[in-house]
Amino acid sequence: MPDHRYDASEIEPRWQAVWADEHTWEVSNDAGRDRPRSYVLEMLPYPSGEPHIGHLKVYSVGDAIAHFRRRRGAEVLHPMGYDAFGLPAENHAIATGVHPRVSTNASIASFQRQFREWGISIDWSRELATSDPRYYCWTQWIFLQLFKAGLADRREAAVNWCPHDQTVLANEQVIDGRCERCGHEVEIRQLEQWFFRITDYAERLLDDLDTIDWPEHVKTMQRNWIGRSEGASVTFHQDDFDIDYPVFTTRPDTLFGATFFVMAPEHPDVLRLAAGTPHEQAVRDYVNHAMVASNAERGAMDKAKTGVPLGRSVTNPVNAEQIPMFVADYVLMEYGTGAIMAVPAHDERDFDFAQAHGLEIRRVIDGGELPYPGDGPLTNSGTDFDGLPNREARIRIVAALEAADRGRGAINFRLRDWLVSRQRYWGCPIPVIHCPSCGIVAVPEDELPVLLPEVEDYAPKGRSPLAAAEDWVNTTCPTCGRPAKRETDTMDTFVDSSWYFLRYCDARNETAAWDPAVLAEWMPVDQYIGGVEHAILHLMYARFFTKALADLGHLSFQEPFAALFTQGMITRDGAKMSKSRGNVVSPQAIVERYGADTARSYILFIGPVEQDADWSDDGVEGVHRFLSRLWRAAAEVAESTEPAAPPSQPQGADLELLRKAHWAIAKVTHDLDGRFAFNTAISAVIELVNDCYRLRSQVSAGSLRFALASAASLIFPFAPHVGADAYQLLTGERVWEEPWPVADPALLERDTYELVCQVNGKLRDRIQVASGLGEEELEQLALAAPNVREHIAGREITKVIVVPGKLVNVVVR
RNA sequence: GCGGAUGUGGCGGAAUUGGUAGACGCGCACGGUUCAGGUCCGUGUGGAGGUAACUCUGUGGAGGUUCGAGUCCUCUCAUCCGCACCA
């Protein structure tokens, strides 16, 4: 027997060259009208250093889906690009002096090379990088559309400031009071910044989750982040200053139990209210202390509720009671109106505060021990409401408030506007000009892109490094022509990645961001794939962009990603891979040692792709062994036999092997069609190859050839090079040009099967029976089975359950 | 605290609608091939008992529904993730 050796290092470059030379995976926007279109997209990589194992996983998943859909007849758009602006490249520049463009481009080159070496079927004609002026030109254009529509505005607000990265951060980028990127504790500063009004879309972002096919846990995370609360806005009047203070409450039914009123330390009126009262100095001290306290310090929930009186009172609109005002840091300026009505009897936090400060706790809902947050009839709430169930009382009280013009039903959201300015260099310039006489003026669209200027020093100094590029900053006002200055902030990189999936559809359009007619052909993305770590940030922002651009008439759909799949992380020794732990597995090392097909297949075989999985070097060997067995068998059969068809009336081992092949076709198809069960799909192909080996000396050459070609065809989406090579050896055809195989129903059926015989639910025997027998016959056969007879001997049969095709259960007493 | 997930052999995991628990891979044991190691080709492999046929037991724990539960229900424990004083 000739010595066939599976050599991935010879096979893989050979097929990669074919696909590159022939532009096999490119799709056109005008051709292919006879085929359904499918857009399969993995989240674009952030090009920093080398690709890691997570990249290998996400693109292995996406490529398997892309290949499967192509061979099932779809025209598949499967593009690639790079999220190329961002802090790491800039921090690297500060440390080394290397321009971020240089290091980013080097990294992109490495990603490109490895994606080709992995054999990912990418349409390279649509490749993009978000740092390319041909791309960010249109990021700026989108900014201007939002600006003109009033969805982008500049305003002063309390913002998160990272003292290390010297920039502001979006709320979503603050994790446990710390900067998502560098881990430094975040400070709160009052600064004028650019915002996108994502809160205008809160309701729609929430409602439309019901229209998309996303994992439930991702939808839940988004729902929680949006944080919709239904309740009422209730207005309390402050007599000394004649000011109305509206508050938001989810419990208007407890309004008669409001015994005090609390404002956040950041509330702009706090100092003014306390002025001239004996509490003025105490309030000043308290507010100063609260302002410098860290988020983490204030956020500790078990901390005692602190606060001081303001020396003023407000009027409760339902009973005209004067209730004292306080300032306390358990009230947040960012949520609601920055002030609350406190109902200590029915809210745990208000209860704690009342106890600590000796304030009245008045029960207004009958029920359990105080503080009691549950339902019950009202009490101490006046003759109009006492005795009513609180849910009904809530409606009536809101109606009464509305009639008196002191409140109304209201909905509040936790979601806040998206802060998009960054005082950093390596990002997309914000295309506006500040004119002393005209104010903020948009850069005219025909002057886009506003190119990122070259600077000497990238180091952040509390203002954008762009401010140092004086020739660039100083310009003229597009409106009045007088001297003006450019905006020096750059955009959050999440802006760049909130629309890249649109650009892929029409990537070479030089006159517009896209042609809406072209977009309508591909969008929305049919299958989006990425890490669950983007469940909130990227996915929420992309949805917001899509809705806003649709409202402005640029898009004809409401949701960017019709279906989403989130893959789990690859760990090593149970821990996230990191350089500091020294447990990093480099994809390149695995590819060099075993080949890309092994690396890709192993990652999909290791377990369900949506779950985290632990890397095992021994497991890789096992998958490599399997691919090697498949290829060697194909090479041997191709060399030692002539092509032949399987027998038309197979018997014995031929029949067994052909059945196995058709079973595998059905199994893999089922596992890929709508599911992402790659691990069991690969298992099925392994079983088929195992049977080829087991039966090879007993079957006809035609059957063996067919079984092995089927295995090659089925493994192709996961291991494209070895699949293509084995398939060509056996059939002379190119597997990716072949339709996906279809199982022959006649070979999926069996003429006999193993009937499970149970007594009282316990397995007692298995017998071979003919397919299609009726319940009556099956019952008789089961009762006659030797071990069944033994277990029912001398006992009374009370019932017999027959499930044709499966089992018979005899119930005895 | 709220929300979401996950618990199955020595390990990763499998189990369509409630119907043979442990597919497939790793590891391990044994046999064959090989000068030898590795490779390669087989056989076996949840635990306990038994020469064996077979029996008992077994899916984090405790109950329940059912002829039958890894799967459904109730309670509970553990681990992980997200949000966290959200009024």
Side-chain angles (χ1 to χ4, degrees):
Chain A
M1 192 174 287
D3 181 28
H4 291 291
R5 199 174 69 85
Y6 167 55
D7 181 5
S9 67
E10 186 279 323
I11 294 167
E12 296 185 351
R14 184 152 47 78
W15 289 102
Q16 286 157 18
V18 171
W19 298 328
D21 290 347
E22 301 185 6
H23 305 272
T24 311
W25 314 119
E26 289 183 16
V27 289
S28 151
N29 283 341
D30 9 271
R33 300 302 299 130
D34 50 334
R35 301 211 281 168
R37 291 185 156 171
S38 188
Y39 190 174
V40 176
L41 183 64
E42 300 93 78
M43 291 180 184
L44 86 177
Y46 177 75
S48 173
E50 301 277 317
H52 55 70
I53 206 87
H55 292 116
L56 182 62
K57 183 166 182 176
V58 70
Y59 300 115
S60 297
V61 170
D63 208 37
I65 295 166
H67 276 311
F68 180 64
R69 293 193 176 191
R70 279 189 197 105
R71 290 186 57 202
R72 296 251 283 181
E75 184 88 353
V76 172
L77 174 57
H78 190 222
M80 181 60 74
Y82 310 93
D83 189 15
F85 274 135
L87 271 180
E90 186 171 343
N91 288 340
H92 180 258
I94 293 162
T96 64
V98 177
H99 195 289
R101 185 180 299 115
V102 173
S103 57
T104 300
N105 286 344
S107 187
I108 287 175
S110 165
F111 274 65
Q112 285 168 328
R113 183 175 49 76
Q114 293 201 42
F115 290 157
R116 287 182 190 273
E117 286 173 3
W118 297 350
I120 310 291
S121 62
I122 293 163
D123 179 349
W124 288 106
S125 73
R126 297 164 187 264
E127 189 183 21
L128 58 81
T130 58
S131 59
D132 186 331
R134 289 170 296 179
Y135 180 87
Y136 72 67
C137 170
W138 305 111
T139 306
Q140 293 173 342
W141 176 81
I142 293 170
F143 181 97
L144 292 181
Q145 306 316 304
L146 298 180
F147 175 63
K148 287 170 189 168
L151 288 169
D153 63 0
R154 194 173 159 86
R155 59 177 186 259
E156 186 170 303
V159 297
N160 302 294
W161 173 264
C162 174
H164 176 264
D165 287 340
Q166 295 270 304
T167 185
V168 296
L169 299 170
N171 289 313
E172 290 81 354
Q173 289 166 321
V174 180
I175 312 293
D176 291 333
R178 290 173 181 277
C179 172
E180 175 192 52
R181 287 236 170 257
C182 69
H184 278 74
E185 207 162 88
V186 167
E187 298 168 2
I188 304 297
R189 290 196 180 180
Q190 286 285 330
L191 290 171
E192 195 171 278
Q193 299 288 325
W194 284 96
F195 288 87
F196 285 157
R197 303 187 64 93
I198 191 172
T199 51
D200 288 3
Y201 286 78
E203 193 86 59
R204 283 165 65 190
L205 288 168
L206 187 69
D207 290 348
D208 287 356
L209 286 171
D210 295 335
T211 69
I212 49 183
D213 179 16
W214 284 22
E216 207 47 50
H217 69 278
V218 175
K219 290 191 188 183
T220 303
M221 276 199 240
Q222 293 219 347
R223 286 191 189 105
N224 291 345
W225 191 261
I226 294 168
R228 182 182 193 272
S229 297
E230 249 175 80
S233 167
V234 182
T235 302
F236 288 72
H237 191 257
Q238 211 292 318
D239 292 340
D240 308 330
F241 289 82
D242 191 25
I243 301 177
D244 275 341
Y245 286 112
V247 301
F248 176 76
T249 176
T250 53
R251 294 296 302 275
D253 47 319
T254 63
L255 195 44
F256 287 86
T259 52
F260 55 100
F261 187 96
V262 191
M263 286 178 144
E266 294 84 358
H267 197 289
D269 290 358
V270 163
L271 293 174
R272 185 156 67 106
L273 284 161
T277 75
H279 303 283
E280 181 171 358
Q281 191 54 44
V283 168
R284 198 176 296 279
D285 291 346
Y286 185 82
V287 168
N288 284 341
H289 178 76
M291 293 297 211
V292 298
S294 67
N295 271 357
E297 214 176 303
R298 275 182 66 172
M301 215 175 58
D302 42 0
K303 192 191 80 157
K305 295 277 177 291
T306 62
V308 293
L310 287 176
R312 306 278 178 185
S313 63
V314 287
T315 310
N316 185 336
V318 284
N319 56 11
E321 262 180 16
Q322 290 291 310
I323 58 175
M325 300 178 85
F326 289 82
V327 55
D329 67 4
Y330 80 92
V331 174
L332 308 175
M333 191 60 217
E334 309 89 73
Y335 187 76
T337 60
I340 62 156
M341 66 177 214
V343 184
H346 304 289
D347 180 282
E348 201 180 327
R349 296 152 301 172
D350 297 342
F351 183 83
D352 291 346
F353 188 86
Q355 284 214 311
H357 297 84
L359 297 163
E360 185 194 350
I361 299 170
R362 185 194 306 157
R363 177 190 283 277
V364 290
I365 309 277
D366 278 330
E369 199 182 321
L370 297 182
Y372 174 68
D375 289 325
L378 261 63
T379 183
N380 296 323
S381 297
T383 50
D384 289 353
F385 305 110
D386 274 350
L388 284 176
N390 66 305
R391 285 173 190 272
E392 194 186 328
R394 175 182 309 200
I395 297 162
R396 300 237 199 139
I397 289 175
V398 171
L401 287 167
E402 211 154 333
D405 199 24
R406 294 277 84 192
R408 60 194 160 75
I411 290 161
N412 206 48
F413 294 93
R414 203 191 83 108
L415 184 71
R416 296 185 215 137
D417 278 333
W418 175 12
L419 168 50
V420 295
S421 1
R422 296 292 181 275
Q423 290 72 48
R424 299 300 304 241
Y425 174 73
W426 190 234
C428 177
I430 293 176
V432 302
I433 290 166
H434 298 271
C435 170
S437 37
C438 308
I440 294 174
V441 182
V443 171
E445 286 179 17
D446 59 9
E447 289 176 23
L448 297 182
V450 175
L451 290 172
L452 192 58
E454 298 302 317
V455 299
E456 303 276 302
D457 183 5
Y458 310 106
K461 297 177 181 66
R463 60 167 199 179
S464 170
L466 299 190
E470 286 182 20
D471 290 350
W472 179 85
V473 171
N474 289 307
T475 184
T476 51
C477 172
T479 306
C480 66
R482 280 183 282 193
K485 288 186 187 297
R486 290 189 187 278
E487 168 68 56
T488 58
D489 283 356
T490 53
M491 290 184 225
D492 179 8
T493 52
F494 278 106
V495 179
D496 308 324
S497 57
S498 291
W499 74 281
Y500 75 103
F501 42 90
L502 304 174
R503 182 66 180 171
Y504 282 142
C505 300
D506 200 9
R508 296 294 167 260
N509 193 330
E510 288 179 8
T511 58
W514 56 76
D515 174 349
V518 169
L519 247 63
E521 294 290 326
W522 293 111
M523 288 295 294
V525 173
D526 294 282
Q527 184 63 60
Y528 199 37
I529 302 139
V532 73
E533 64 272 19
H534 296 107
I536 295 172
L537 293 148
H538 164 61
L539 291 170
M540 186 84 78
Y541 295 150
R543 294 182 63 219
F544 160 62
F545 258 45
T546 302
K547 289 180 189 306
L549 289 165
D551 286 354
L552 298 175
H554 300 295
L555 301 176
S556 56
F557 45 90
Q558 286 292 319
E559 286 288 337
F561 313 122
L564 173 71
F565 181 81
T566 54
Q567 98 274 4
M569 222 175 21
I570 303 274
T571 58
R572 179 89 188 268
D573 309 321
K576 196 171 177 172
M577 290 186 195
S578 71
K579 280 179 194 147
S580 56
R581 278 198 195 85
N583 64 345
V584 175
V585 177
S586 134
Q588 188 158 22
I590 301 299
V591 170
E592 274 170 17
R593 180 153 180 196
Y594 300 101
D597 285 337
T598 296
R600 293 174 56 169
S601 302
Y602 171 64
I603 270 192
L604 299 180
F605 178 68
I606 190 169
V609 274
E610 68 273 19
Q611 290 174 21
D612 290 351
D614 206 58
W615 182 270
S616 145
D617 290 337
D618 290 337
V620 184
E621 295 272 3
V623 170
H624 185 253
R625 201 170 297 153
F626 152 64
L627 293 178
S628 177
R629 274 159 70 83
L630 168 58
W631 187 86
R632 276 187 289 115
E636 282 168 23
V637 165
E639 189 175 278
S640 63
T641 68
E642 290 303 312
S648 55
Q649 298 290 322
Q651 300 292 325
D654 277 293
L655 181 59
E656 190 180 348
L657 186 59
L658 291 174
R659 274 193 173 135
K660 189 71 179 186
H662 284 272
W663 166 84
I665 290 168
K667 170 76 176 154
V668 175
T669 306
H670 178 253
D671 284 352
L672 295 189
D673 194 13
R675 303 173 68 193
F676 296 85
F678 304 114
N679 54 335
T680 52
I682 293 170
S683 292
V685 186
I686 294 175
E687 284 191 55
L688 174 57
V689 171
N690 287 348
D691 274 10
C692 288
Y693 272 78
R694 189 169 58 83
L695 299 168
R696 69 190 147 169
S697 60
Q698 305 163 46
V699 297
S700 69
S703 299
L704 189 55
R705 204 174 265 263
F706 174 81
L708 286 167
S710 298
S713 177
L714 295 174
I715 208 66
F716 172 75
F718 319 113
H721 314 85
V722 69
D725 209 55
Y727 198 84
Q728 191 178 53
L729 287 169
L730 292 162
T731 68
E733 304 290 337
R734 298 170 139 195
V735 68
W736 66 88
E737 292 171 359
E738 299 286 306
W740 187 252
V742 177
D744 178 354
L747 284 165
L748 291 176
E749 280 168 21
R750 311 216 43 172
D751 30 314
T752 66
Y753 66 93
E754 193 175 69
L755 181 73
V756 168
C757 305
Q758 298 177 331
V759 177
N760 285 348
K762 287 195 189 213
L763 174 69
R764 292 304 177 191
D765 225 327
R766 303 162 206 228
I767 52 175
Q768 281 296 319
V769 300
S771 300
L773 290 185
E775 295 196 12
E776 204 52 32
E777 292 151 297
L778 291 173
E779 181 176 333
Q780 292 313 313
L781 286 167
L783 288 170
N787 205 38
V788 172
R789 290 176 65 170
E790 214 162 290
H791 280 88
I792 59 178
R795 306 174 77 173
E796 184 195 345
I797 298 175
T798 55
K799 200 174 186 181
V800 179
I801 313 281
V802 183
V803 184
K806 288 268 186 211
L807 57 74
V808 173
N809 186 16
V810 183
V811 185
V812 297
R813 195 156 48 196

